[in-house]
Every structure is written in C-alpha cells, then in structure tokens.
Amino acid sequence: MTDALNRIRVGSAPDSWGVWFPDDPQQVPWERFLDEVSEAGYSWIELGPYGYLPTDPARLTDEVDRRGLKVSAGTVFTALHRGPDVWDATWEHVSQVAELTRAMGARHLVVIPSFWRDDKTAALIEPPELTVRQWAYLTKGMERLGHEVKERFGLDIVVHPHADTHIDTEEHVERFLDSTDGELVGLCLDTGHYAYCGGDNVKLIETYGERIGYLHLKQVDPEILADVVKNEIPFGPAVQRGVMCEPPAGVPALEPVLAAAQNLGVELFAIVEQDMYPCPPDKPLPIATRTRTFLRSCGA
C-alpha cells in the first residue's frame, strides 16, 4: 500500500515502552519515555496508567510541548459489570483521568474492562463469563459513563476489548456493541487483542465501522499464540513469552486494517501499543523506530 492514509493519525504509548503501572521499578522513567517516543518519530501519545506521567496539567504540557508531542487520549479501567455499588469509586477514578485528558487537549477516553485475572499474579479472580444481569450492568454502566464523560468533560469514551476481560472475543465484542448506544459508546479496536482472541479485524471494521472511534495497532506472533491457546496460558505470562510482536512479523496484517479504517471516511487515531511488560530499558526505542518506519511505508 502506498496511498496516503490521510485520515489516520499515528502515535505511540507508554505501553510500547513496557509501562503497565503508574509506578514500577521494572519500568523506564517517564522522562525517558517522552524523550524516546519523540526520538522515534511519533508526535501523538497517550497518558498511559494515571500517575505514570505528571498529573499536573501545566507541568505535563510543558514536558510534551518541548518534545513536540501532543496527547490523544487518557485511559481508565472499570468494573461496571459489578453493578451500581462500584459507580462512585469508578467515577472518582474516571473524573481524575478525564480532567487531565481534557486539560491536555485530547478528545478520547479509552475505557478498558477489568480483568478476570489478577494483573500481576494471573490468578483467576472472577468467572470469565458474565451472567445476564452482569451483562446488563456492564452495558448500561458504559452508556451512563459515556453520557457523563461527554456532558462533564466533552470527551468521547471508546471501549477497548482486551484479552482476559469480559469483552474479548468476536462474540463478546459484537454482543457488547449490539447492546449499547453508538451515540454514547464507541470502540477502541486493538488489532492485537482482537486477533489474540480470535477476531477478524477487517471484518469488524467493515461491519461495525460507525462504532470504531479509535485504533490501537498491535500484532500477535501466531506460533506463540497457538501455544498460549493450547496450554491456556494467561495474558500476562503470554506477553512475557513475546506473544505481542514487532510489526510486520505477526498478525493481523496492518495494511488491510489501515485501509479499511481509512475507508470509513473519518479521522482516527492509530496508536502503536506493543505489550512487553517487563522489558529491558534499551529494548523499546529501536522497535518503536522501526515500527514508525514500517507504518510510513504503509502510507500512515
């Protein structure tokens, strides 16, 4: 593909530097992430886990401005399937992130459902399947969240299907989309997570194009994935095995995904996220630079 993808804005995120937590000794300092993401050729970034980057808007604005960077989105984790009792705690967290996201001039809030495994130990903490009542809590809760975030902060929420969450497979993603109002709830399609869970990215874009509000670009190593599926390996350990790999070595092929996204006729962010927590501090920059070169060759 050589045609310019003039509706696609490419960026990267702390995730591509092995950052999963606000504070962790295995992660690179935030200053190094900002320096290197700029050096790699990206101009858009996400905030990552709230508290990893400075949360004072004036300071963060100064830090990103002097590196020629802009913020595309913030990220929140939610457990709305647990019902009304979690709303107040959820909203407190969402409000913090949304306030900073708005202050940085971004328009999107990426919403990730909570894991049914512990994010550090991979131990099972909830059933992988929701009950009918829990599905209702989840969908109605997301609609309420979308309404409140738009009303109070002027942001659009985009829900991120994710491995080891209740919105993961094609069946679950389609059920979620069919059960929610597109005016209130968009989708952040993570190409790697959707492929990891057996979904067809291009088909989803072509079928539910009006719901796609944001992209995360990621690829999966099919050989490692086959072993992960066969042995029922949790997502965290799978990442440590290298299941999320450097483009263009994995699946899905990103050229047709980007072409399908371009054909939607709307402007979309496409933020590179290569899960590799934990990783050596010198590993991310060369990968990020090569990935940016590859995406330019695709027209992005």
Side-chain angles (χ1 to χ4, degrees), residues 5 44 118 134 141 190 242 259:
L5 300 169
W44 292 94
D118 184 274
Q134 288 174 321
D190 184 300

Side-chain angles (χ1 to χ4, degrees), residues 81-258:
H81 68 284
R82 295 176 187 163
D85 290 348
V86 303
W87 176 261
D88 289 344
T90 300
W91 183 249
E92 182 180 359
H93 167 57
V94 169
S95 295
Q96 275 189 318
V97 182
E99 186 67 57
L100 180 59
T101 302
R102 177 176 64 177
M104 297 308 297
R107 296 183 293 107
H108 294 92
L109 197 64
V110 177
V111 181
I112 301 178
S114 60
F115 299 156
W116 40 262
R117 292 186 187 275
D118 184 274
D119 57 7
K120 290 212 172 184
T121 69
L124 197 69
I125 55 176
E126 286 188 271
E129 292 288 337
L130 297 177
T131 65
V132 172
R133 173 175 286 186
Q134 288 174 321
W135 266 108
Y137 285 150
L138 174 63
T139 55
K140 295 308 173 189
M142 285 295 188
E143 288 180 334
R144 181 183 179 188
L145 191 70
H147 174 77
E148 294 292 338
V149 167
K150 192 183 290 274
E151 284 290 309
R152 302 197 190 189
F153 298 100
L155 306 176
D156 292 325
I157 72 165
V158 282
V159 176
H160 182 319
H162 196 294
D164 288 0
T165 77
H166 296 109
I167 308 177
D168 51 0
T169 62
E170 181 177 296
E171 178 188 358
H172 286 165
V173 171
E174 291 185 353
R175 180 175 180 178
F176 177 77
L177 291 173
D178 291 343
S179 303
T180 49
D181 183 347
E183 293 296 313
L184 299 173
V185 180
L187 190 76
C188 169
L189 174 58
D190 184 300
T191 60
H193 280 281
Y194 200 55
Y196 181 101
C197 297
D200 182 327
N201 281 271
V202 172
K203 177 186 172 187
L204 185 69
I205 294 171
E206 292 177 344
T207 307
Y208 288 92
E210 74 283 355
R211 301 298 296 276
I212 308 294
Y214 202 91
L215 296 173
H216 279 170
L217 301 181
K218 187 180 286 147
Q219 284 193 323
V220 182
D221 182 312
E223 291 186 7
I224 297 177
L225 180 62
D227 183 63
V228 164
V229 172
K230 178 182 177 182
N231 294 294
E232 299 181 353
I233 297 168
F235 180 68
V239 167
Q240 293 179 29
R241 292 183 179 212
V243 72
M244 297 300 182
C245 62
E246 178 181 344
V251 296
L254 293 180
E255 296 93 331
V257 171
L258 290 167

Side-chain angles (χ1 to χ4, degrees), residues 24-72:
D24 188 294
Q26 298 186 86
Q27 297 174 172
V28 297
W30 63 266
E31 297 94 337
R32 180 169 180 176
F33 159 68
L34 291 180
D35 287 342
E36 292 189 351
V37 73
S38 176
E39 183 182 341
Y42 298 94
S43 55
W44 292 94
I45 61 165
E46 290 183 357
L47 295 177
Y50 183 77
Y52 174 66
L53 294 176
T55 56
D56 174 63
R59 184 181 182 198
L60 184 55
T61 297
D62 177 64
E63 296 287 353
V64 298
D65 281 357
R66 62 191 184 84
R67 294 172 173 89
L69 299 170
K70 293 171 284 188
V71 175
S72 62

